Amino acid sequence: MGLSPWTLPWSVVVAGVLGQLFLFSMGTSSIDCFKCVSVNGDNPACEDPFHNNNSLKLLESPCMGGRKGRDGVFPATACIKMDGRYTDTDESITIRACALDSGTLTTDTEIIRMSHCGSFYFENRYIRGCVQSCDDADGCNSGPAGPLTHSPTRSALALCMGLLALLASAR
C-alpha cells in the first residue's frame, strides 16, 4: 500500500508543511549590507571606525550578489568587509559588500564561510589584511556568526526535524 497525505498521521503532514515553509522562508530572504570602497581614505564614510551617521546611502537593501557559475544576481546571505594594505605601495583599502554561498563543498572556496587574515591576491595585486564575513544582522560588518545562522545548518536542522517526525509516526 502506497503512502499518501490522506493516510499519513496528521503530525507528519503538519511537520512536512512546516518544514517546507521554513525552507521557503530561508530561500527568499536577503540580508542588508553596506556597500562602499575606500582607497587610501578617499571615502571617509567607508573607513574604520565605521559610523552609521548619514551613511544610509551606503546601505543596500536588499543586497544582491553574484554566484559562481551562475548568471545574474541573487539575494545575499552575508555581508563582507575587506580591510588591508597593498604590499607594493602601502596604500590602504577598505571594501564593504555583500555575498552569498555558492554551494561548494569546501570552506576554502567560499569567502563567506570563514573570515581570513593574512596576505591575499586581489585584482592583480597583493594585499595584507583581513576579509571578514557576517550574517547575523542587517548591516553587520564583523563578529562571529551564531551556529544556526548559516543556511546549510538550518537546512540540516529542518531535514532532521522532518525525519524525527517521520520516525515518531512509524512507532
Side-chain angles (χ1 to χ4, degrees), residues 4-34:
S4 77
W6 310 116
T7 60
L8 289 173
W10 184 250
S11 62
V12 174
V13 174
V14 170
V17 169
L18 289 176
Q20 290 299 316
L21 287 173
F22 181 67
L23 290 174
F24 176 75
S25 69
M26 289 186 325
T28 59
S29 63
S30 177
I31 192 168
D32 302 344
C33 299
F34 290 100

Side-chain angles (χ1 to χ4, degrees), residues 6-7 21 38 40 44 60 63 80 99 110-111 132 142 145 156 162 171:
W6 310 116
T7 60
L21 287 173
S38 179
N40 236 17
E60 186 170 313
C63 208
I80 57 173
E110 296 291 345
I111 195 168
Q132 298 170 314
S142 65
R171 288 184 175 188

